[in-house]
Amino acid sequence: MRLTVFIGFMMTASVIMGVVSYQAGASAGVIALRVMAVMVVLQLGYFLLLLLMSLISPPKPADTDSPAQVDPQAGTQKQ
């Protein structure tokens, strides 16, 4: 999931939590705390998802059939 998509979903969930809390009659401080709690939980979940994805994915082998040559002094590839 891209970061921009995650931010969009996080804002949507925060707005929904704020509206539901407002309709339930919560004060402004309680609404702010609930919205912050939703953001923290979602960020923690996103971090754990990224961590799990990086641990599960197997390492990719190096591409040795590349037509580009490596310049050892410059540390770059020649075309």
Coordinates of all heavy atoms in Angstrom, one line a residue:
M1 N 0.9 -1.2 0.0 CA 0.0 0.0 0.0 C 0.9 1.2 0.0 O 1.8 1.3 0.8 CB -0.9 0.0 1.2 CG -1.8 1.2 1.3 SD -2.8 1.4 2.8 CE -3.1 -0.2 3.4
R2 N 0.6 2.2 -0.9 CA 1.4 3.4 -0.9 C 1.1 4.3 0.3 O 0.0 4.2 0.9 CB 1.0 4.2 -2.2 CG 1.5 3.5 -3.4 CD 1.3 4.4 -4.6 NE 1.5 3.6 -5.8 CZ 0.7 3.7 -6.9 NH1 -0.3 4.5 -6.9 NH2 1.0 2.9 -7.9
L3 N 2.0 5.1 0.6 CA 1.8 6.0 1.7 C 0.7 7.0 1.5 O -0.1 7.2 2.5 CB 3.1 6.8 2.0 CG 3.1 7.7 3.2 CD1 2.9 6.9 4.5 CD2 4.4 8.5 3.3
T4 N 0.5 7.5 0.3 CA -0.6 8.4 0.1 C -2.0 7.7 0.3 O -2.9 8.3 0.8 CB -0.5 9.0 -1.3 OG1 -0.4 7.9 -2.3 CG2 0.7 9.9 -1.5
V5 N -2.1 6.5 -0.1 CA -3.3 5.7 0.0 C -3.6 5.5 1.5 O -4.7 5.7 2.0 CB -3.3 4.4 -0.7 CG1 -4.5 3.5 -0.4 CG2 -3.1 4.6 -2.2
F6 N -2.5 5.2 2.3 CA -2.7 5.0 3.7 C -3.1 6.3 4.4 O -4.0 6.2 5.2 CB -1.3 4.5 4.3 CG -1.3 4.6 5.8 CD1 -2.0 3.7 6.6 CD2 -0.6 5.5 6.4 CE1 -2.0 3.8 7.9 CE2 -0.6 5.6 7.8 CZ -1.3 4.7 8.6
I7 N -2.5 7.4 4.0 CA -2.9 8.7 4.6 C -4.4 9.0 4.3 O -5.1 9.5 5.2 CB -2.0 9.8 4.2 CG1 -0.6 9.6 4.8 CG2 -2.5 11.2 4.5 CD1 0.5 10.5 4.2
G8 N -4.8 8.7 3.1 CA -6.2 8.9 2.7 C -7.1 8.1 3.6 O -8.2 8.5 4.1
F9 N -6.8 6.8 3.7 CA -7.6 5.9 4.6 C -7.6 6.4 6.0 O -8.6 6.3 6.7 CB -7.2 4.5 4.5 CG -7.6 3.8 3.2 CD1 -6.7 3.1 2.4 CD2 -8.9 3.9 2.7 CE1 -7.1 2.4 1.3 CE2 -9.3 3.3 1.6 CZ -8.4 2.5 0.8
M10 N -6.5 6.8 6.5 CA -6.3 7.2 7.9 C -7.2 8.5 8.1 O -7.9 8.6 9.1 CB -4.9 7.5 8.3 CG -4.7 7.9 9.7 SD -3.0 8.1 10.2 CE -2.5 9.5 9.2
M11 N -7.2 9.4 7.2 CA -8.0 10.6 7.3 C -9.5 10.3 7.3 O -10.3 10.8 8.0 CB -7.6 11.6 6.2 CG -6.3 12.3 6.4 SD -6.3 13.2 7.9 CE -4.7 12.8 8.5
T12 N -9.8 9.3 6.4 CA -11.2 8.9 6.3 C -11.7 8.3 7.6 O -12.8 8.6 8.1 CB -11.4 7.9 5.1 OG1 -11.0 8.5 3.9 CG2 -12.9 7.5 5.0
A13 N -10.9 7.4 8.2 CA -11.3 6.8 9.4 C -11.3 7.8 10.6 O -12.2 7.7 11.4 CB -10.3 5.7 9.8
S14 N -10.4 8.8 10.5 CA -10.4 9.8 11.6 C -11.7 10.7 11.5 O -12.3 11.0 12.5 CB -9.2 10.7 11.5 OG -8.0 9.9 11.6
V15 N -12.1 11.1 10.3 CA -13.3 11.9 10.1 C -14.5 11.1 10.6 O -15.4 11.6 11.2 CB -13.4 12.3 8.6 CG1 -14.8 12.9 8.4 CG2 -12.3 13.4 8.3
I16 N -14.6 9.8 10.2 CA -15.7 9.0 10.6 C -15.8 8.9 12.1 O -16.9 9.0 12.7 CB -15.6 7.6 9.9 CG1 -15.9 7.7 8.4 CG2 -16.6 6.6 10.6 CD1 -15.6 6.5 7.6
M17 N -14.6 8.7 12.7 CA -14.6 8.6 14.2 C -15.1 9.9 14.8 O -15.8 9.9 15.8 CB -13.2 8.2 14.7 CG -13.1 8.2 16.2 SD -14.3 7.1 17.1 CE -13.6 5.5 16.7
G18 N -14.6 11.0 14.3 CA -15.0 12.3 14.8 C -16.5 12.6 14.7 O -17.2 13.1 15.6
V19 N -17.1 12.2 13.5 CA -18.5 12.4 13.3 C -19.3 11.5 14.2 O -20.3 12.0 14.8 CB -18.9 12.1 11.8 CG1 -20.4 12.1 11.6 CG2 -18.3 13.2 10.9
V20 N -18.9 10.2 14.3 CA -19.7 9.3 15.2 C -19.6 9.8 16.7 O -20.6 9.8 17.4 CB -19.2 7.9 15.1 CG1 -19.7 7.0 16.1 CG2 -19.5 7.4 13.7
S21 N -18.4 10.3 17.1 CA -18.3 10.8 18.4 C -19.1 12.0 18.7 O -19.7 12.2 19.7 CB -16.8 11.1 18.7 OG -16.0 9.9 18.7
Y22 N -19.1 12.9 17.7 CA -19.9 14.1 17.8 C -21.4 13.8 17.9 O -22.1 14.4 18.7 CB -19.7 15.0 16.6 CG -20.5 16.3 16.6 CD1 -20.1 17.3 17.5 CD2 -21.6 16.5 15.8 CE1 -20.9 18.5 17.5 CE2 -22.3 17.6 15.8 CZ -22.0 18.6 16.7 OH -22.7 19.8 16.7
Q23 N -21.9 12.8 17.1 CA -23.3 12.5 17.1 C -23.6 11.8 18.5 O -24.8 11.8 18.9 CB -23.6 11.6 16.0 CG -23.6 12.3 14.7 CD -24.0 11.4 13.5 OE1 -23.9 10.2 13.6 NE2 -24.3 12.0 12.3
A24 N -22.6 11.1 19.1 CA -22.9 10.5 20.4 C -22.9 11.5 21.5 O -23.2 11.1 22.7 CB -21.8 9.4 20.6
G25 N -22.5 12.7 21.2 CA -22.6 13.7 22.3 C -21.3 13.9 23.0 O -21.3 14.5 24.1
A26 N -20.2 13.5 22.5 CA -18.9 13.6 23.2 C -18.4 15.1 23.1 O -18.7 15.8 22.2 CB -17.9 12.7 22.5
S27 N -17.6 15.5 24.1 CA -17.1 16.8 24.1 C -15.9 16.9 23.1 O -15.4 15.9 22.6 CB -16.6 17.2 25.5 OG -15.5 16.4 25.8
A28 N -15.5 18.1 22.8 CA -14.4 18.3 21.8 C -13.1 17.6 22.3 O -12.4 17.1 21.4 CB -14.2 19.8 21.6
G29 N -12.8 17.6 23.5 CA -11.6 17.0 24.0 C -11.6 15.5 23.8 O -10.6 14.9 23.4
V30 N -12.8 14.9 24.1 CA -12.9 13.4 23.9 C -12.9 13.1 22.5 O -12.3 12.1 22.1 CB -14.3 13.0 24.6 CG1 -14.5 11.5 24.2 CG2 -14.2 13.2 26.1
I31 N -13.5 13.9 21.6 CA -13.4 13.7 20.2 C -12.0 13.7 19.7 O -11.5 12.8 18.9 CB -14.3 14.7 19.4 CG1 -15.8 14.5 19.7 CG2 -14.0 14.6 17.9 CD1 -16.7 15.5 19.2
A32 N -11.2 14.7 20.1 CA -9.8 14.8 19.7 C -9.0 13.6 20.2 O -8.2 13.1 19.5 CB -9.2 16.1 20.3
L33 N -9.2 13.1 21.4 CA -8.5 12.0 21.9 C -8.9 10.7 21.2 O -8.0 9.9 20.9 CB -8.8 11.8 23.4 CG -8.1 12.7 24.4 CD1 -8.6 12.5 25.8 CD2 -6.6 12.6 24.3
R34 N -10.1 10.5 20.8 CA -10.6 9.4 20.0 C -9.9 9.4 18.6 O -9.5 8.4 18.1 CB -12.1 9.3 19.9 CG -12.7 8.9 21.2 CD -14.3 8.9 21.1 NE -14.9 8.6 22.3 CZ -16.2 8.6 22.5 NH1 -17.0 8.9 21.5 NH2 -16.7 8.3 23.7
V35 N -9.9 10.6 18.0 CA -9.3 10.7 16.7 C -7.8 10.4 16.8 O -7.3 9.7 15.9 CB -9.6 12.1 16.1 CG1 -8.8 12.3 14.9 CG2 -11.1 12.2 15.8
M36 N -7.1 10.9 17.8 CA -5.7 10.6 17.9 C -5.5 9.1 18.2 O -4.5 8.6 17.6 CB -5.1 11.4 19.1 CG -4.9 12.9 18.7 SD -4.0 13.6 20.1 CE -4.1 15.3 19.7
A37 N -6.3 8.5 18.9 CA -6.2 7.1 19.2 C -6.3 6.3 17.9 O -5.6 5.3 17.7 CB -7.2 6.6 20.3
V38 N -7.3 6.6 17.1 CA -7.5 6.0 15.8 C -6.2 6.1 14.9 O -5.8 5.2 14.3 CB -8.7 6.5 15.1 CG1 -8.8 6.1 13.6 CG2 -10.0 6.0 15.8
M39 N -5.7 7.3 14.9 CA -4.5 7.5 14.1 C -3.3 6.7 14.6 O -2.5 6.2 13.8 CB -4.1 9.0 14.1 CG -5.1 9.9 13.3 SD -4.5 11.6 13.3 CE -5.6 12.3 12.1
V40 N -3.1 6.7 15.9 CA -2.0 5.9 16.5 C -2.1 4.4 16.2 O -1.2 3.8 15.8 CB -1.9 6.2 18.0 CG1 -0.9 5.2 18.6 CG2 -1.4 7.6 18.2
V41 N -3.3 3.9 16.3 CA -3.6 2.5 16.1 C -3.3 2.2 14.6 O -2.7 1.2 14.3 CB -5.0 2.1 16.5 CG1 -5.3 0.7 16.0 CG2 -5.1 2.1 18.0
L42 N -3.8 3.0 13.7 CA -3.6 2.8 12.3 C -2.1 2.9 11.9 O -1.6 2.1 11.1 CB -4.5 3.7 11.5 CG -5.9 3.4 11.5 CD1 -6.7 4.5 10.7 CD2 -6.2 2.1 10.9
Q43 N -1.4 3.8 12.5 CA 0.0 4.0 12.2 C 0.8 2.8 12.7 O 1.7 2.3 12.0 CB 0.6 5.3 12.7 CG 0.1 6.5 12.0 CD 0.6 7.8 12.6 OE1 1.3 7.8 13.6 NE2 0.3 8.9 12.0
L44 N 0.5 2.3 13.8 CA 1.1 1.1 14.4 C 0.9 -0.1 13.5 O 1.8 -0.9 13.2 CB 0.7 0.9 15.8 CG 1.3 -0.3 16.5 CD1 2.8 -0.1 16.7 CD2 0.7 -0.5 17.9
G45 N -0.4 -0.2 13.1 CA -0.7 -1.3 12.2 C 0.0 -1.3 10.9 O 0.5 -2.3 10.3
Y46 N 0.1 -0.1 10.3 CA 0.8 0.1 9.0 C 2.3 -0.2 9.2 O 2.9 -0.8 8.3 CB 0.6 1.6 8.5 CG 1.2 1.9 7.2 CD1 0.7 1.2 6.1 CD2 2.2 2.7 7.0 CE1 1.2 1.5 4.8 CE2 2.8 3.0 5.8 CZ 2.2 2.4 4.7 OH 2.8 2.6 3.4
F47 N 2.9 0.2 10.3 CA 4.3 -0.1 10.5 C 4.5 -1.6 10.7 O 5.5 -2.1 10.1 CB 4.8 0.6 11.8 CG 6.2 0.2 12.3 CD1 7.3 0.6 11.6 CD2 6.3 -0.6 13.3 CE1 8.5 0.2 12.0 CE2 7.6 -1.0 13.7 CZ 8.7 -0.6 13.0
L48 N 3.7 -2.2 11.4 CA 3.8 -3.7 11.6 C 3.6 -4.4 10.2 O 4.2 -5.4 9.9 CB 2.8 -4.2 12.6 CG 3.1 -3.8 14.1 CD1 2.0 -4.2 15.0 CD2 4.5 -4.3 14.5
L49 N 2.7 -3.9 9.4 CA 2.5 -4.5 8.1 C 3.7 -4.4 7.2 O 4.1 -5.3 6.6 CB 1.3 -3.8 7.4 CG 1.0 -4.2 5.9 CD1 0.5 -5.6 5.9 CD2 0.1 -3.3 5.3
L50 N 4.3 -3.2 7.2 CA 5.5 -3.0 6.4 C 6.7 -3.9 7.0 O 7.5 -4.4 6.2 CB 6.0 -1.5 6.4 CG 5.0 -0.6 5.7 CD1 5.6 0.9 5.8 CD2 4.9 -1.0 4.2
L51 N 6.8 -4.0 8.3 CA 7.8 -4.8 8.9 C 7.6 -6.3 8.5 O 8.6 -6.9 8.1 CB 7.8 -4.6 10.4 CG 8.9 -5.3 11.2 CD1 10.2 -4.7 10.8 CD2 8.6 -5.1 12.7
L52 N 6.4 -6.7 8.6 CA 6.1 -8.1 8.2 C 6.4 -8.4 6.8 O 6.9 -9.4 6.4 CB 4.6 -8.4 8.6 CG 4.2 -9.8 8.4 CD1 4.9 -10.8 9.4 CD2 2.7 -9.9 8.6
M53 N 6.0 -7.4 5.9 CA 6.2 -7.6 4.5 C 7.7 -7.7 4.2 O 8.1 -8.5 3.3 CB 5.5 -6.5 3.7 CG 4.1 -6.6 3.6 SD 3.2 -5.2 2.9 CE 4.0 -5.1 1.3
S54 N 8.5 -6.9 4.9 CA 9.9 -6.9 4.6 C 10.6 -8.2 5.1 O 11.6 -8.7 4.6 CB 10.6 -5.7 5.2 OG 10.6 -5.7 6.6
L55 N 10.1 -8.7 6.2 CA 10.6 -10.0 6.8 C 10.2 -11.2 6.0 O 11.0 -12.2 5.9 CB 10.2 -10.1 8.2 CG 10.8 -9.1 9.2 CD1 10.2 -9.3 10.6 CD2 12.3 -9.2 9.3
I56 N 9.0 -11.2 5.4 CA 8.5 -12.3 4.7 C 9.0 -12.4 3.3 O 9.3 -13.5 2.8 CB 6.9 -12.3 4.7 CG1 6.4 -12.6 6.1 CG2 6.4 -13.3 3.7 CD1 4.9 -12.6 6.2
S57 N 9.2 -11.3 2.6 CA 9.6 -11.3 1.2 C 11.0 -11.9 1.1 O 11.9 -11.4 1.8 CB 9.5 -10.0 0.6 OG 10.4 -9.1 1.2
P58 N 11.2 -12.9 0.2 CA 12.6 -13.4 0.0 C 13.5 -12.4 -0.6 O 13.0 -11.6 -1.4 CB 12.3 -14.6 -0.9 CG 11.1 -14.3 -1.6 CD 10.3 -13.5 -0.7
P59 N 14.8 -12.5 -0.4 CA 15.7 -11.6 -1.0 C 15.8 -11.9 -2.5 O 15.7 -13.0 -2.9 CB 17.1 -11.9 -0.3 CG 16.9 -13.2 0.3 CD 15.5 -13.4 0.6
K60 N 15.9 -10.8 -3.3 CA 15.9 -10.9 -4.7 C 17.4 -11.2 -5.2 O 18.3 -10.5 -4.7 CB 15.4 -9.7 -5.4 CG 13.9 -9.5 -5.0 CD 13.3 -8.4 -5.9 CE 11.8 -8.3 -5.7 NZ 11.2 -8.4 -4.4
P61 N 17.6 -12.1 -6.1 CA 19.0 -12.3 -6.5 C 19.5 -11.1 -7.4 O 18.7 -10.4 -8.0 CB 18.9 -13.6 -7.4 CG 17.5 -13.6 -7.8 CD 16.7 -13.0 -6.7
A62 N 20.8 -10.9 -7.3 CA 21.4 -9.8 -8.1 C 21.3 -10.2 -9.6 O 21.5 -11.3 -10.0 CB 22.9 -9.6 -7.7
D63 N 21.1 -9.1 -10.4 CA 21.0 -9.3 -11.8 C 22.5 -9.2 -12.4 O 23.1 -8.2 -12.5 CB 20.2 -8.2 -12.4 CG 20.0 -8.4 -13.9 OD1 20.2 -9.5 -14.4 OD2 19.6 -7.4 -14.6
T64 N 23.0 -10.4 -12.8 CA 24.4 -10.5 -13.3 C 24.4 -10.4 -14.8 O 25.5 -10.3 -15.4 CB 25.1 -11.8 -12.8 OG1 24.3 -12.9 -13.2 CG2 25.2 -11.8 -11.3
D65 N 23.3 -10.5 -15.5 CA 23.3 -10.4 -16.9 C 23.0 -9.0 -17.4 O 22.6 -8.8 -18.6 CB 22.2 -11.4 -17.4 CG 22.4 -12.8 -17.1 OD1 23.6 -13.2 -16.9 OD2 21.5 -13.6 -16.9
S66 N 23.4 -8.0 -16.7 CA 23.1 -6.6 -17.0 C 24.1 -6.2 -18.1 O 25.3 -6.5 -18.0 CB 23.3 -5.7 -15.8 OG 23.2 -4.4 -16.2
P67 N 23.7 -5.5 -19.2 CA 24.6 -5.1 -20.2 C 25.5 -3.9 -19.8 O 26.5 -3.6 -20.4 CB 23.7 -4.7 -21.4 CG 22.4 -4.3 -20.7 CD 22.3 -5.2 -19.5
A68 N 25.1 -3.2 -18.7 CA 25.9 -2.1 -18.2 C 27.1 -2.6 -17.5 O 27.0 -3.6 -16.7 CB 25.0 -1.2 -17.3
Q69 N 28.2 -1.9 -17.7 CA 29.4 -2.2 -17.0 C 29.6 -1.3 -15.8 O 29.3 -0.1 -15.8 CB 30.6 -2.1 -17.9 CG 30.6 -3.1 -19.1 CD 31.7 -2.8 -20.0 OE1 32.5 -1.9 -19.9 NE2 31.8 -3.7 -21.0
V70 N 30.2 -1.8 -14.7 CA 30.4 -1.0 -13.5 C 31.8 -0.4 -13.6 O 32.8 -1.0 -13.9 CB 30.3 -1.9 -12.3 CG1 30.6 -1.1 -11.0 CG2 28.9 -2.5 -12.2
D71 N 31.8 0.9 -13.4 CA 33.1 1.7 -13.3 C 33.6 1.6 -11.9 O 33.0 2.2 -11.0 CB 32.9 3.1 -13.8 CG 34.2 3.9 -13.8 OD1 35.2 3.3 -13.6 OD2 34.1 5.1 -14.0
P72 N 34.7 0.8 -11.6 CA 35.1 0.7 -10.2 C 35.6 2.0 -9.6 O 35.4 2.1 -8.3 CB 36.2 -0.4 -10.3 CG 36.7 -0.4 -11.7 CD 35.5 0.1 -12.5
Q73 N 36.1 2.9 -10.3 CA 36.6 4.1 -9.7 C 35.5 5.1 -9.3 O 35.5 5.8 -8.3 CB 37.6 4.8 -10.5 CG 38.9 4.0 -10.6 CD 40.0 4.7 -11.4 OE1 39.7 5.7 -12.1 NE2 41.2 4.2 -11.4
A74 N 34.5 5.2 -10.2 CA 33.4 6.1 -10.0 C 32.3 5.5 -9.2 O 31.5 6.2 -8.6 CB 32.9 6.6 -11.3
G75 N 32.2 4.2 -9.2 CA 31.1 3.6 -8.5 C 29.8 3.7 -9.2 O 28.7 3.5 -8.6
T76 N 29.8 4.0 -10.5 CA 28.6 4.1 -11.2 C 28.7 3.2 -12.4 O 29.7 2.5 -12.7 CB 28.4 5.6 -11.8 OG1 29.6 5.9 -12.6 CG2 28.3 6.5 -10.6
Q77 N 27.6 3.1 -13.1 CA 27.5 2.2 -14.3 C 27.7 3.0 -15.5 O 27.2 4.1 -15.7 CB 26.2 1.5 -14.4 CG 25.9 0.5 -13.2 CD 24.6 -0.2 -13.4 OE1 23.8 0.2 -14.2 NE2 24.4 -1.2 -12.6
K78 N 28.5 2.4 -16.5 CA 28.6 3.0 -17.8 C 27.6 2.5 -18.8 O 27.2 1.3 -18.7 CB 30.0 2.7 -18.4 CG 31.2 3.3 -17.6 CD 32.5 2.9 -18.3 CE 33.6 3.4 -17.5 NZ 34.9 3.0 -18.1
Q79 N 27.1 3.3 -19.6 CA 26.0 2.9 -20.6 C 26.7 2.6 -21.9 O 27.6 3.0 -22.3 CB 25.0 4.0 -20.8 CG 24.2 4.3 -19.5 CD 23.4 3.1 -19.1 OE1 22.9 2.3 -19.9 NE2 23.2 3.0 -17.8

